[in-house]
Amino acid sequence: MKTTFFQRAAAKGFTLIELLIVVIIIAILAAIAIPQFSNTSGDAQEAALDANLNTVRSAIELYRVQHRNSYPTVTSAAPVAASASACTTAGGVAGTGAKDSALAFKEQLTMFSDASGGTCTVAAPTAGITLGPYLRAIPQEQLSNPPTDAVAIVITGVQNPVPANSTTGGYQFDNRGGQFVKNSNAMGRRGQEYYKY
């Protein structure tokens, strides 16, 4: 006698319960991971701030060494008349930043200069404009929202550290002591104010 077995084909796929469990597990993992990723962007911004501050501080010190122990902005960025003429003859544009100004800070660190701090966009060896440039540009300060232009606010008194005026962002520079800091008294992730970085 011959027996025939009829087997019912097993249904392939997942049940609704199994799918719901997988979705719940993925949601739990995402809830754990997303805060970790949001912290890393803040950490990266603070690391960029540290790197930018160190770069500018090194440039300031190199400028001081090459300019008779004077920090940027102690003198005007405008060269004397003869040097300005030599700058123009060499195909450059002379700096115009006044003493104790943010423009002088920018020009003296990003342009060629002579020993007295007069600047030109090109080197003019006949006028002694051969020092620098020390930076391509003043780095943008990224922690402000929105990011502010890299503006150095010149502080003429000697204080250590320079107390920040606000949480507005940008930078402060003490041209007597050479201290360059972020212009913010907001608390950073290290538990100290940004101007103490």
Side-chain angles (χ1 to χ4, degrees):
M1 169 171 180
K2 210 174 186 186
T3 53
T4 308
F5 293 100
F6 293 100
Q7 290 185 342
R8 189 171 156 198
K12 294 184 180 184
F14 298 104
T15 65
L16 182 61
I17 301 285
E18 292 169 330
L19 288 174
L20 285 174
I21 290 171
V22 169
V23 168
I24 290 170
I25 290 171
I26 290 172
I28 290 170
L29 291 174
I32 292 170
I34 287 174
Q36 299 299 324
F37 288 120
S38 67
N39 286 342
T40 58
S41 69
D43 291 341
Q45 287 175 328
E46 287 195 5
L49 173 65
D50 282 336
N52 289 340
L53 288 173
N54 287 332
T55 299
V56 175
R57 288 171 181 159
S58 295
I60 289 168
E61 285 305 310
L62 183 55
Y63 179 94
R64 182 186 63 80
V65 167
Q66 294 183 344
H67 290 83
R68 303 177 188 152
N69 211 26
S70 292
Y71 288 108
T73 74
V74 169
T75 61
S76 168
V80 295
S83 295
S85 176
C87 172
T88 306
T89 303
V93 177
T96 59
K99 178 183 177 197
D100 296 332
S101 72
L103 180 59
F105 182 85
K106 178 183 175 193
E107 289 176 345
Q108 288 174 336
L109 289 179
T110 61
M111 295 167 71
F112 291 92
S113 60
D114 60 22
S116 64
T119 59
C120 183
T121 55
V122 298
T126 58
I129 301 177
T130 57
L131 304 173
Y134 304 94
L135 297 170
R136 278 204 219 161
I138 308 299
Q140 189 175 38
E141 189 272 295
Q142 296 290 325
L143 285 170
S144 300
N145 192 11
T148 61
D149 289 333
V151 175
I153 301 168
V154 178
I155 306 297
T156 56
V158 178
Q159 298 177 18
N160 192 10
V162 178
N165 295 328
S166 65
T167 59
T168 57
Y171 300 110
Q172 283 189 358
F173 175 61
D174 174 359
N175 69 357
R176 303 284 166 92
Q179 187 174 31
F180 183 78
V181 297
K182 179 180 176 355
N183 184 30
S184 177
N185 56 14
M187 284 295 230
R189 294 176 181 273
R190 298 180 193 167
Q192 61 184 332
E193 295 90 347
Y194 284 123
Y195 75 89
K196 293 182 180 175
Y197 276 40

